[in-house]
Amino acid sequence: MSLRIVVTVKYVPDATGDRHFADDLTVDRDDVDGLLSELDEYAVEQALQIADDADDAEVTVLTVGPEDAKDALRKALSMGADKAIHIEDDDLHGTDALGTSLVLAKAIEKAGYDLVISGMASTDGTMGVVPALVAERLGVPQVTLLSEVSVEDGTVKGRRDGDTASEQLEASLPAVASVTDQSGEARYPSFKGIMAAKKKPVESWDLSDLDIEAEEVGLDGAYTKVEAVAERPARTAGTIVKDEGEGGKQLAEFLAGQKFI
């Protein structure tokens, strides 16, 4: 029986761009270029490696987002994923992590799965809670923040590295796993992979396909909202200390004043 791997990915604003909030205090995604979240590339890579080691496996990439989010799916497909699912609906605008986990869980159930792999966090929200929320909604075990992951005999295994120790974790499939940026460098899409991605299937679903009501998601259904924003103050000129014999003393006083020492 084929091992069904679903990788959740996110289309995020380019961190090098001029990111800001829209009038409704959601992230303005129209005025900045987007791309596949870098941390999700590690999830795609680990899914592909697991598939390569399996006798029979299929890797599906899944995203929730606007029309442009298909670019993130195409990147994952060009890396080697087999097919993609795009959840797009105007009523999803402003959906928070809890709402996103609902949509992902419903889509994963509809698609069919044995293993779900996610990145450790998105590079825009950086909350890192969605894998655990998805596992809870699916009612399956979770092994998160893995720097090493593998599947053997119906079990997903991995190593989680902490500040003082490393843990060896495992869970019976079906399960949810998330991987860190220490799990292995993501492959760069080849020209052949880019061309092949254009022919791979991309399904498009909306909320009605998942039996989700509009009130359950979006800004109205969000449990977390941004109440106010303010631009970061402009950077001021630094303090210049000319060493005329007292430079070391002045530097020490400055560092102490800033509570660096």
Side-chain angles (χ1 to χ4, degrees):
M1 184 176 178
S2 176
L3 176 65
R4 300 166 299 173
I5 306 173
V6 177
V7 186
T8 61
V9 301
K10 189 175 184 181
Y11 180 74
V12 298
D14 189 341
T16 63
D18 183 18
R19 297 176 294 175
H20 55 276
F21 288 91
D23 292 339
D24 62 359
L25 299 184
T26 61
V27 176
D28 189 339
R29 301 177 185 273
D30 295 330
D31 293 336
V32 63
D33 292 334
L35 72 171
L36 170 63
S37 176
E38 180 182 357
L39 293 174
D40 289 341
E41 292 186 16
Y42 296 96
V44 175
E45 176 61 32
Q46 292 309 306
L48 295 175
Q49 289 191 26
I50 291 171
D52 289 341
D53 292 337
D55 293 331
D56 184 17
E58 182 180 64
V59 177
T60 301
V61 286
L62 166 66
T63 196
V64 179
E67 174 67 23
D68 290 345
K70 282 188 172 68
D71 291 344
L73 295 177
R74 290 298 179 193
K75 173 69 177 293
L77 291 173
S78 68
M79 291 173 66
D82 299 298
K83 62 180 183 178
I85 299 171
H86 180 205
I87 312 300
E88 180 186 10
D89 197 299
D90 290 341
D91 289 324
L92 285 167
H93 175 73
T95 301
D96 65 356
L98 282 166
T100 298
S101 71
L102 172 64
V103 177
L104 289 174
K106 290 280 192 178
I108 290 166
E109 286 180 324
K110 182 179 174 68
Y113 73 102
D114 297 298
L115 176 63
V116 179
I117 304 181
S118 303
M120 61 188 291
S122 64
T123 54
D124 55 353
T126 65
M127 293 183 69
V129 299
V130 168
L133 292 172
V134 168
E136 176 67 20
R137 290 188 183 278
L138 293 174
V140 300
Q142 55 174 298
V143 281
T144 54
L145 300 176
L146 302 180
S147 54
E148 187 178 273
V149 61
S150 63
V151 172
E152 183 179 350
D153 298 328
T155 302
V156 57
K157 303 178 180 180
R159 189 186 77 242
R160 178 191 291 157
D161 295 324
D163 293 336
T164 59
S166 294
E167 301 171 280
Q168 295 293 334
L169 307 175
E170 64 177 59
S172 298
L173 299 180
V176 173
S178 70
V179 298
T180 72
D181 54 359
Q182 301 302 308
S183 58
E185 196 68 28
R187 67 192 67 185
Y188 190 81
S190 64
F191 177 74
K192 181 179 179 180
I194 294 172
M195 297 305 294
K198 297 180 179 180
K199 299 180 180 179
K200 293 179 179 178
V202 178
E203 292 189 61
S204 295
W205 297 344
D206 59 18
L207 292 178
S208 64
D209 293 313
L210 304 176
D211 294 324
I212 296 175
E213 299 296 330
E215 305 82 55
E216 299 178 83
V217 294
L219 276 176
D220 291 338
Y223 284 81
T224 57
K225 298 180 181 179
V226 176
E227 294 293 340
V229 297
E231 290 190 13
R232 180 182 299 174
R235 295 184 64 177
T236 58
T239 301
I240 299 176
V241 176
K242 293 183 179 180
D243 188 4
E244 298 177 349
E246 295 290 327
K249 179 180 178 181
Q250 293 180 60
L251 178 58
E253 290 175 347
F254 174 79
L255 293 174
Q258 298 297 316
K259 297 184 179 180
F260 292 138
I261 58 174

